[in-house]
Amino acid sequence: MRESNFEQKISNAAVTRYTSLLIAAIFFILLLPIYSVNFLLSILLMKAPIEKKSWIDISGSRVELYQWRKGFFIDSAVVFNVLKGDIGFVGNPLLRDNISIPKIDNFKSPFTQPGLFDYLQLHSLTGLKAEDPQTLLQKQAQQGWQADLSMVVRIFFCRLFYSSKAKQCDARSVFGIQFSNCQMEEAVTWVLSASNLPVCRSAYFINANSINLAADDDALFSVLRRSNRNFIDGSGMRLAVKKVGVQLADNCNGTDMLPILCEQMEKSGQSLFLLGAKPGVANKAAKLLMQSYPKLKVAGAHHGYFSDDDAVIKQINESQADIVLVALGSPRQELWIDQNKHKINANCALAVGGLFDFFSGNVPRAPLWMRELGLEWVWRLIQEPKTKFYRYVIGNPTFLFRVYILNQALRGL
């Protein structure tokens, strides 16, 4: 059995190697006219046509890749490195700006050779935080050439729409609303950190729908502007932030944040209160969370169909919860937190939309490949065409109109 597994690994490696060579040869033929122009330009300017650029891969090894000195698509010279066998099309990630990676000293990569494409690169383009880097690369190492090719296609798609050469900054204003540009772990640290404020801190996840609603609702717009922290959520907002000249870090949405939040709360001993959704949904989500995270303290849960705010706030305060997740839908949840945070004794309140529906199992999450492409909204529309029609079919084009025609991402709503 061991011999068979070993032979299979050798066979897979050989197939991957030959596939890389074949793709590199095809690219070489397709790019030959551009290569010829770049070569002639270098000769006319009396410069060497190609130079080497040093990189570091995730294991800490130095990688020298070719690039054209002059001309078009200067990075395309890396095809020569693939033909030489210096690098594969898929392999060990090269360190790039804004990629969430583990510490090199403690990281063991399943690859022996660096690659031009990898899952860390793909997930960084959309800010996805679905799996840890080690798991992603193990998955990449075990997949066949067809899956490799599919991954490369997704990377090209995401580069086309989401890639940005803008500088990354900690905070910036978009649509006149201040937002926090951070990695998911930093966002969780802020949520769980001690506060010296006399009231419960508020934090919201801003997406395209939030902006559309805020454009027609002055109260919501004001609430978002005076929030303690706003996190960017969704591919539409990634495009808008790109428009204002900011390179976005992780896509800090509530659904991807909750597992990391629960893991950290298991360690810190802090407790959680779930408020919102239909009757029974919050309790079901709480039960399933405690099954997944046995040391997690869920202080209480309450559905979103209530009219007496004070009674609900009393229940939250008596539970002594540290973090409150409020899933009342926009704009009600944001307005409710803003109006009542001075009465809540918790450390932080997060507006989380339909989060409980996902974690109760009532609504399935989009397949990973759709989330990798920033197309989770398409899945939501397929699942709930009637309730989500206006939000996505009407709302998304309206949002893009605000970004690219009205230029509101820069000017404000």
Side-chain angles (χ1 to χ4, degrees):
M1 180 66 74
R2 289 181 181 178
E3 247 181 70
S4 175
N5 289 338
F6 179 74
E7 289 174 359
Q8 186 177 2
K9 286 181 180 179
I10 295 296
S11 175
N12 288 341
V15 170
T16 301
R17 170 66 182 144
Y18 290 136
T19 303
S20 289
L21 288 173
L22 177 60
I23 295 174
I26 292 172
F27 269 100
F28 177 81
I29 294 170
L30 292 175
L31 293 169
L32 196 55
I34 294 174
Y35 286 175
S36 300
V37 171
N38 292 352
F39 184 81
L40 289 173
L41 282 173
S42 299
I43 296 300
L44 290 172
L45 295 171
M46 294 183 291
K47 292 182 178 290
I50 288 177
E51 62 181 349
K52 288 184 178 180
K53 183 178 180 181
S54 292
W55 293 75
I56 299 292
D57 73 4
I58 201 171
S59 64
S61 302
R62 184 180 176 184
V63 185
E64 290 192 335
L65 301 180
Y66 294 127
Q67 68 176 24
W68 294 101
R69 284 184 179 272
K70 296 292 179 181
F72 307 95
F73 301 107
I74 60 174
D75 291 333
S76 66
V78 77
V79 169
F80 296 120
N81 292 103
V82 179
L83 290 172
K84 284 178 59 182
D86 299 334
I87 191 171
F89 263 90
V90 173
N92 234 12
L94 299 175
L95 299 192
R96 295 177 172 85
D97 292 338
N98 199 32
I99 291 185
S100 299
I101 60 170
K103 292 181 179 179
I104 293 174
D105 294 341
N106 302 321
F107 188 78
K108 294 182 180 179
S109 174
F111 293 95
T112 57
Q113 187 183 47
L116 297 178
F117 303 99
D118 57 85
Y119 271 117
L120 267 63
Q121 180 186 164
L122 173 59
H123 285 208
S124 72
L125 288 166
T126 49
L128 184 63
K129 292 293 291 185
E131 296 174 290
D132 65 273
Q134 186 76 60
T135 302
L136 282 174
L137 292 186
Q138 288 290 348
K139 171 186 173 182
Q140 180 181 310
Q142 294 168 4
Q143 67 188 18
W145 67 269
Q146 299 96 329
D148 283 346
L149 184 59
S150 175
M151 179 184 71
V152 171
V153 170
R154 296 200 295 277
I155 288 173
F156 274 113
F157 176 89
C158 290
R159 278 186 178 177
L160 179 64
F161 287 99
Y162 308 121
S163 182
S164 173
K165 293 183 179 179
K167 293 182 179 180
Q168 183 175 323
C169 61
D170 294 335
R172 185 72 183 270
S173 176
V174 62
F175 296 103
I177 301 168
Q178 197 79 5
F179 69 90
S180 175
N181 185 16
C182 60
Q183 294 185 342
M184 185 68 80
E185 290 78 7
E186 295 173 310
V188 170
T189 297
W190 180 86
V191 171
L192 297 177
S193 62
S195 172
N196 295 323
L197 296 177
V199 298
C200 176
R201 293 176 300 160
S202 59
Y204 309 126
F205 300 95
I206 302 180
N207 53 36
N209 185 55
S210 305
I211 297 302
N212 286 338
L213 291 173
D216 298 321
D217 188 334
D218 291 339
L220 176 60
F221 181 61
S222 297
V223 166
L224 295 179
R225 282 174 61 89
R226 61 174 173 261
S227 161
N228 295 111
R229 193 62 61 101
N230 291 314
F231 301 114
I232 296 297
D233 171 19
S235 54
M237 288 300 295
R238 182 167 286 269
L239 293 174
V241 170
K242 177 182 174 181
K243 179 71 172 177
V244 301
V246 176
Q247 182 183 12
L248 199 62
D250 291 340
N251 178 27
C252 290
N253 63 78
T255 314
D256 288 335
M257 178 185 283
L258 186 55
I260 302 173
L261 186 67
C262 290
E263 289 174 2
Q264 293 302 315
M265 292 182 76
E266 280 188 306
K267 298 174 183 177
S268 67
Q270 292 167 285
S271 59
L272 200 62
F273 192 99
L274 280 62
L275 173 64
K278 294 180 180 179
V281 174
N283 285 294
K284 185 179 179 182
K287 182 179 178 180
L288 292 176
L289 282 173
M290 288 187 289
Q291 289 177 3
S292 300
Y293 307 95
K295 295 181 181 179
L296 177 67
K297 297 178 182 178
V298 177
H302 194 288
H303 61 77
Y305 291 74
F306 60 88
S307 56
D308 190 345
D309 289 352
D310 290 336
V312 172
I313 292 168
K314 181 181 178 183
Q315 183 179 342
I316 293 171
N317 290 340
E318 288 178 349
S319 74
Q320 298 183 337
D322 298 292
I323 308 297
V324 183
L325 304 182
V326 183
L328 302 176
S330 292
R332 184 189 172 198
Q333 59 191 9
E334 290 85 3
L335 297 175
W336 190 89
I337 291 174
D338 186 72
Q339 291 166 2
N340 295 290
K341 62 183 180 180
H342 64 286
K343 304 177 186 177
I344 299 173
N345 295 335
N347 186 40
C348 185
L350 296 171
V352 295
L355 182 68
F356 302 165
D357 287 322
F358 290 125
F359 282 88
S360 66
N362 287 0
V363 177
R365 191 86 190 271
L368 182 60
W369 69 267
M370 294 188 79
R371 286 183 276 154
E372 288 172 341
L373 293 172
L375 297 176
E376 187 167 9
W377 65 271
V378 176
W379 176 262
R380 297 292 307 278
L381 181 61
I382 293 171
Q383 294 293 307
E384 305 172 76
K386 289 184 179 180
T387 57
K388 302 299 181 185
F389 179 85
Y390 187 85
R391 175 170 178 169
Y392 295 124
V393 177
I394 305 298
N396 283 357
T398 302
F399 176 80
L400 294 177
F401 183 79
R402 297 185 194 283
V403 174
Y404 294 104
I405 306 301
L406 299 180
N407 213 25
Q408 289 181 338
L410 286 166
R411 294 190 298 103
L413 292 172

